[in-house]
């Protein structure tokens, strides 16, 4: 009865979560890399970490489904492979969050130093080379979002 509850109640929900996790966290990291001007650097490849984590989560779920359906004749190899996917999922997720925290710290520092520079110049509309900032339009923001979304497509 417990195997059926897990198989039919828990696992259907767990089949949606990896997709949502992978796509949303890919976009979050891409957003902050874009804000830092690093989206077109090698750091872009870090946005794939949550996608791999989601993929390993799916492989783990497939292994769990197979083990639940084949019980009590579970093979040790299937158990070991499912465990490897579980460890890979957890490792990629942990690495992703460490990187996200580092990027958020760098982003926060860049904003603090940018505000300090604005206070020195007296004009909050000037940044690099004393070029005035133009007010972003709605279309500019939408096209920037679409570029980020397109860069994270699997």
């Amino acid at each position: 009865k417990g195997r059926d509850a897990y198989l039919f109640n828990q696992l259907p929900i767990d089949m949606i979560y990896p997709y949502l996790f992978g796509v949303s966290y890919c976009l979050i990291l891409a957003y902050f890399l874009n804000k830092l001007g690093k989206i077109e650097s090698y750091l872009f490849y870090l946005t794939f970490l949550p996608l791999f984590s989601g993929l390993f989560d799916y492989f783990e779920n497939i292994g769990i489904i197979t083990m639940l359906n084949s019980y009590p004749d579970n093979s040790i190899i299937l158990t070991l492979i499912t465990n490897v996917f579980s460890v890979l999922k957890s490792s990629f997720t942990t690495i992703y969050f460490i990187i996200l925290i580092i990027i958020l710290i760098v982003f926060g520092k860049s904003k603090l130093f940018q505000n300090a520079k604005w206070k020195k110049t007296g004009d909050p509309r000037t940044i690099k080379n004393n070029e005035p900032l133009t007010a972003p339009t709605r279309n500019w923001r939408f096209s920037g979002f679409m570029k980020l979304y397109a860069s994270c497509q699997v």
Side-chain angles (χ1 to χ4, degrees), residues 69-150:
N69 286 329
S70 66
Y71 182 82
D73 298 324
N74 289 338
S75 74
I76 293 174
I77 299 217
L78 176 62
T79 306
L80 291 173
I81 291 172
T82 303
N83 184 49
V84 166
F85 287 133
S86 179
V87 170
L88 285 172
K89 172 192 75 169
S90 299
S91 298
F92 273 70
T93 301
T94 302
I95 291 167
Y96 167 77
F97 279 112
I98 290 169
I99 290 170
L100 181 63
I101 290 168
I102 291 169
I103 287 177
L104 288 174
I105 290 170
V106 170
F107 179 73
K109 281 186 174 183
S110 73
K111 284 296 185 185
L112 286 175
F113 288 125
Q114 189 178 34
N115 287 340
K117 183 177 179 181
W118 287 352
K119 288 179 183 177
K120 281 185 180 179
T121 62
D123 184 4
R125 296 179 342 119
T126 59
I127 52 170
K128 297 179 184 173
N129 302 327
N130 291 327
E131 296 174 6
L133 289 174
T134 58
T137 63
R138 179 172 281 186
N139 291 338
W140 177 83
R141 287 181 186 216
F142 181 73
S143 66
F145 174 77
M146 291 309 292
K147 180 181 176 185
L148 287 175
Y149 180 74

Side-chain angles (χ1 to χ4, degrees), residues 51-67:
L51 298 176
F52 281 116
S53 180
L55 182 67
F56 293 137
D57 196 356
Y58 278 122
F59 289 149
E60 176 193 22
N61 291 344
I62 291 168
I64 291 171
I65 290 168
T66 306
M67 285 190 292

